Each structure stands twice: as structure tokens, then as C-alpha cells.
Amino acid sequence: LVAGGEQDLFAQKRIDQGNFYASKDNEYPTLAGGKRRINWGWATVPPASAQTLPREVTFNAEARALQQYPIEEIAGLRAAAAFDRHGVAVRGSVGLGVPAGVARQAELLVSFALPSESATFGVRIGGSSSGDGIGCSVNYTAGAANASVACGGVRDSLPLLARETSVELRVFADWTFV
């Protein structure tokens, strides 16, 4: 219910699309003893399938949308960064020079400052600039309430709050598709 006792109705939306199937979610305890909802499933990754990483699902009341992010226990699996760059100014396509083999199992975290004018930005991992590998992009329109996001051939819409100044892309990759 929203202010005034009116019911807030909005269309149902899948939280996962594309090559994701057989998802399950349940309530699990947090490390601090609270409660949280965790979702995981299977992803088709040719030539077979792989179980996804568990993600905590919450409702962001301000954005009126579900949001999901890796469970906090994933942090315990991280070692020191094998590659790290900060302050990279991107105009067009920029190779970061990650040595071959480094991304066989990797978490890629890229944060983009939202530009003052409309733009498309993203990241491609694996393969070359000729189009192979996996690409994730954000089609941003300055001042819009949503941005179009595409990753691995799947498209979705990302709600943006007026106070947000950046977009973060987090991609987990392993040898099955890199």
C-alpha cells in the first residue's frame, strides 16, 4: 500500500532471463543472524550448464524494483586482485591489457560515472574486439528514469534514481565461456 491507502500495482517482472532456468529461492540466515532471501539456479553455458552463484534478493522501495547481488560469503573466496586499474578514462574501445589466462575464473567489477549527456558504455571480456566473448553494455539517456542494459544477448531495464551518479557492472566469469 502507498500513501492514502491506495494499492501500488505494477507489472510482474522476471529477475532472471535468457539462459537462466530452474531457479530456486528460500529464506536463509545472514552471518549476523538476520534473515535474507537467496536465489540460485542453472545457466546454459555451452556445451553444458553450470550452477549460478547464490545471490541475495531484496526489494528497493525507492526504485520500486527487486535488486540482487552476490551473497556476503562470496567475499571469503576472493584473493588479492590479479589485475587492478583505477581512473581509466574511456573514449571508445579501450583494451586494459589483462594478461592471457588471468580471467579464467574472475570477478570483474567496473564502475562508470554517469555522463552529463546520453551515451552507451560497457565491457567485453574474453575474445577480441571483433565481437566474440561476452559483452555487457548500458544505453544511458541523460535524465531518464531507466537505462537499457544488455549482457550476453539478454536485454533488461535498470531503474535509475535521480541522485545516482554511477552505474556498477559486476561480471563473474570462468573458463566455461572465456
Side-chain angles (χ1 to χ4, degrees):
L1 295 177
V2 294
E6 301 150 9
Q7 190 172 4
D8 185 15
L9 299 175
F10 52 94
Q12 287 187 349
K13 183 175 180 180
R14 295 175 187 233
I15 62 170
D16 283 299
Q17 300 178 41
N19 296 328
F20 185 80
Y21 65 96
S23 69
K24 302 290 180 244
D25 67 90
N26 209 340
E27 190 174 273
Y28 294 91
T30 65
L31 292 176
K35 294 180 181 179
R36 62 186 169 175
R37 181 148 302 274
I38 295 178
N39 177 275
W40 35 16
W42 291 89
T44 304
V45 183
S49 293
Q51 190 171 35
T52 64
L53 291 172
R55 292 157 296 154
E56 184 171 346
V57 179
T58 61
F59 181 70
N60 183 322
E62 188 176 4
R64 304 295 305 146
L66 291 175
Q67 62 185 27
Q68 52 187 322
Y69 44 90
I71 62 172
E72 59 188 323
E73 289 86 346
I74 296 292
L77 300 175
R78 293 185 182 108
F83 184 82
D84 192 356
R85 287 213 32 208
H86 290 84
V88 177
V90 178
R91 293 250 185 250
S93 180
V94 174
L96 295 178
V98 178
V102 168
R104 286 186 56 87
Q105 293 180 324
E107 174 184 12
L108 178 67
L109 177 62
V110 182
S111 181
F112 294 95
L114 291 176
S116 58
E117 52 192 49
S118 299
T120 298
F121 46 87
V123 10
R124 176 168 296 282
I125 58 172
S128 65
S129 60
S130 65
D132 51 349
I134 300 291
C136 297
S137 63
V138 177
N139 187 1
Y140 172 72
T141 302
N146 291 288
S148 175
V149 179
C151 194
V154 177
R155 298 189 179 284
D156 204 352
S157 178
L158 173 67
L160 296 172
L161 302 175
R163 62 180 166 75
E164 290 183 296
T165 59
S166 65
V167 169
E168 181 178 280
L169 294 177
R170 184 181 299 255
V171 180
F172 291 89
D174 69 15
W175 61 272
T176 58
F177 68 90
V178 175

